[in-house]
Amino acid sequence: MTFLNKAIFFLICLTLVVTTMLYGTVHEPTIALFYFLVALMMGLWVAESFISGELRMSRHVLQIPAYATAIYCVIQIIPFGSVPETAGITGISRTISAAPFETEMTAYHYLALGFFFSMVLISLKSASRIRSLVNVIVVFGFVYAFFAILQSFLSPGKIYGIYESFGAYPFGTFVNRHNFAAFMEMMIALPLGLLLSGSIKPDKRLLYITAISLMGVALLLSGSRGGLVAMLAAIFLLILVTTRTRGTKQFVIRGAMAIALVGAIVAGTLFVGGESSLTRIAETAASKDVTTNRTHIWSVTLKVITTNLPFGAGLGAFGQAYTPHDDYSGLERVQQAHNDYLQVLADAGIVGAIIGLAFLALLFQTGKKNIRMKNTFRRGVAVGALGGIFAILVHSIFDFVLHTTAISVMFMLIMALLVAAGREYEDDEREDDDHRSRHRSKAVVKPFSTRRTASQ
């Protein structure tokens, strides 16, 4: 591997850490830094292509939805005629989007996420590189969970003991505890998938169990009900896909293991003094606070959807489209629908629904194929990545977690791992299932084709 390729991989790992530690990258300066890192990756990729004389790129179809969304944002801000004179003001261009500037910014964001996803796909060109990225995610998840737990006791309500988030409950480095839970549920799923699929060597299993338990404790301490539901959904899926061909006995055994793990996480949460977090999770979701009254927000969102069919109110323009239909006092401004599926329809209409459904179909088609890989490690990676993706998709029913840059970055990383797990590499470790603890299999490995791998 060339120096430039290693530099790109380093920047990918750095992006994961930086976007997470800088408050989840929700403020303009930190978002600009994310764009800079992606642009730097692109520049190094161009330089490497120029030097090697070969343009390495991925052709996987999962890249299409991000770029298609960015293109649709551009379509939504194309002027067609003018708005009638309002309060003496004339000459305002008419667009599909109710907030053209916000939609334009959303286009840039989707473009950056698409570029980042493409860079990760190109960078994951060997089995050792996949293993390195998995190790980075697991180790970072363990350390980050420990930091979040420590901060919750030493500086509750303030990030780093400095930044205080008003109108939300921060946890870890995220200004909203639900975002922390969403990030952590993806972190947990990857090592848990490796563990349940038998991809972890016996001498390392205790380390993985410890990391999973610590991350689970951190998630419960955040007090996010949606995060708890998503984590349990991911665990159920992981048990289902790792035992579906091994009979009822294996399903019961793994189910018992999962229950024991969840019990250990709850016990660990109580041990470190997390009774208040567990109590908050057990409370009813009903609230008089408009920021948490999802039932009201969803009912108004349905009005936004019907009013702006078939093209939507504009990606990123939900706040402006929501206000005319809100029958509350207006003291609180709702910027998100607290349900990404409803918001896709509100923002992008039927076009958004088509893009979203195509994305989900491609995603689960890829997952269904790659969790059947014969290579033990890469099968475990695919299983864990699919579990993390499923957790986020469940959590998106209750919150808007994917609107946070750090969560989107992590989502792109596990999607790339899911895709990369389905390839073949010259440095694959072909291990016989019956003798994996004693020696490597001597099966013939299919030669690695640089051009073929890059085109997948």
Side-chain angles (χ1 to χ4, degrees):
M1 296 184 184
T2 66
F3 170 78
L4 292 177
N5 188 269
K6 292 179 180 178
I8 293 173
F9 182 71
F10 172 77
L11 288 175
I12 289 171
C13 298
L14 181 65
T15 301
L16 168 64
V17 176
V18 168
T19 55
T20 304
M21 301 309 292
L22 293 180
Y23 309 113
T25 311
V26 294
H27 306 100
E28 284 76 5
T30 56
I31 293 174
L33 177 60
F34 166 63
Y35 293 164
F36 172 76
L37 290 172
V38 173
L40 187 56
M41 293 177 209
M42 296 289 292
L44 293 175
W45 170 68
V46 171
E48 182 191 27
S49 300
F50 180 78
I51 294 172
S52 65
E54 179 183 1
L55 183 63
R56 294 186 58 84
M57 59 185 300
S58 172
R59 298 178 183 174
H60 200 278
V61 292
L62 266 178
Q63 299 172 97
I64 296 176
Y67 295 121
T69 304
I71 291 172
Y72 189 55
C73 285
V74 175
I75 293 174
Q76 286 185 318
I77 60 176
I78 295 175
F80 60 96
S82 299
V83 176
E85 180 178 340
T86 304
I89 301 175
T90 60
I92 300 176
S93 299
R94 184 190 298 274
T95 60
I96 293 174
S97 173
F101 177 77
E102 298 296 337
T103 302
E104 183 180 353
M105 293 299 101
T106 303
Y108 293 142
H109 200 69
Y110 271 100
L111 199 61
L113 289 172
F115 286 149
F116 177 76
F117 184 47
S118 297
M119 290 296 100
V120 180
L121 288 177
I122 294 170
S123 182
L124 295 178
K125 61 180 183 178
S126 67
S128 61
R129 182 62 65 76
I130 295 174
R131 189 178 294 273
S132 296
L133 182 56
V134 169
N135 289 338
V136 167
I137 291 173
V138 174
V139 172
F140 177 64
F142 174 80
V143 175
Y144 182 60
F146 179 77
F147 160 79
I149 293 172
L150 192 63
Q151 181 178 255
S152 69
F153 293 105
L154 297 180
S155 179
K158 288 187 178 181
I159 303 173
Y160 302 126
I162 301 172
Y163 181 84
E164 185 172 4
S165 176
F166 296 97
Y169 298 95
F171 200 89
T173 56
F174 289 89
V175 298
N176 188 304
R177 57 190 168 93
H178 301 296
N179 291 336
F180 172 85
F183 185 82
M184 200 52 62
E185 67 206 24
M186 286 187 287
M187 283 284 186
I188 294 174
L190 190 55
L192 188 58
L194 288 165
L195 192 66
L196 291 176
S197 61
S199 303
I200 305 300
K201 295 179 180 179
D203 59 330
K204 294 183 179 179
R205 287 175 185 169
L206 183 59
L207 294 175
Y208 272 73
I209 292 173
T210 303
I212 293 167
S213 300
L214 192 67
M215 288 187 273
V217 169
L219 191 154
L220 287 186
L221 282 175
S222 71
S224 172
R225 291 183 293 267
L228 175 61
V229 171
M231 182 182 72
L232 294 177
I235 291 174
F236 176 77
L237 178 69
L238 292 174
I239 293 173
L240 192 64
V241 300
T242 55
T243 59
R244 58 191 176 86
T245 59
R246 301 184 185 183
T248 305
K249 183 178 179 180
Q250 283 293 323
F251 184 84
V252 172
I253 292 174
R254 290 181 183 269
M257 290 172 55
I259 293 173
L261 180 61
V262 173
I265 291 172
V266 173
T269 305
L270 293 172
F271 178 76
V272 298
E275 297 90 346
S276 61
S277 298
L278 295 177
T279 301
R280 183 165 58 241
I281 290 176
E283 291 174 351
T284 176
S287 173
K288 295 180 180 180
D289 182 359
V290 69
T291 61
T292 58
N293 190 350
R294 290 171 175 80
T295 304
H296 171 73
I297 295 174
W298 294 344
S299 65
V300 177
T301 301
L302 291 175
K303 297 177 184 178
V304 176
I305 293 171
T306 55
T307 301
N308 293 280
L309 285 176
F311 302 113
L315 286 147
F318 183 81
Q320 286 78 0
Y322 182 93
T323 302
H325 301 281
D326 188 10
D327 53 7
Y328 270 15
S329 64
L331 293 176
E332 298 283 351
R333 184 176 181 184
V334 178
Q335 297 280 16
Q336 311 291 347
H338 290 267
N339 181 309
D340 277 339
Y341 304 99
L342 290 179
Q343 188 154 346
V344 165
L345 291 172
D347 287 358
I350 295 176
V351 176
I354 293 172
I355 294 174
L357 290 173
F359 169 70
L360 292 177
L362 293 171
L363 187 61
F364 283 105
Q365 182 181 17
T366 302
K368 183 180 179 181
K369 173 185 175 183
N370 292 354
I371 61 174
R372 298 174 179 174
M373 295 298 298
K374 293 182 179 180
N375 182 278
T376 306
F377 174 72
R378 287 192 285 107
R379 182 175 67 246
V381 171
V383 168
L386 185 62
I389 290 168
F390 183 69
I392 282 295
L393 295 178
V394 171
H395 201 155
S396 293
I397 298 174
F398 314 105
D399 287 301
F400 50 96
V401 290
L402 282 173
H403 293 243
T404 302
T405 305
I407 298 175
S408 297
V409 166
M410 183 61 192
F411 187 72
M412 293 294 180
L413 285 175
I414 60 174
M415 272 208 310
L417 285 172
L418 179 64
V419 172
R423 302 172 181 166
E424 292 188 1
Y425 307 92
E426 66 176 359
D427 61 337
D428 268 339
E429 292 184 3
R430 302 281 186 150
E431 299 174 346
D432 189 277
D433 290 337
D434 297 325
H435 306 284
R436 72 173 68 124
S437 62
R438 287 183 287 176
H439 60 80
R440 293 181 184 177
S441 173
K442 296 183 180 180
V444 177
V445 180
K446 185 176 181 179
F448 175 73
S449 172
T450 301
R451 294 182 180 275
R452 183 166 180 253
T453 301
S455 65
Q456 292 183 355

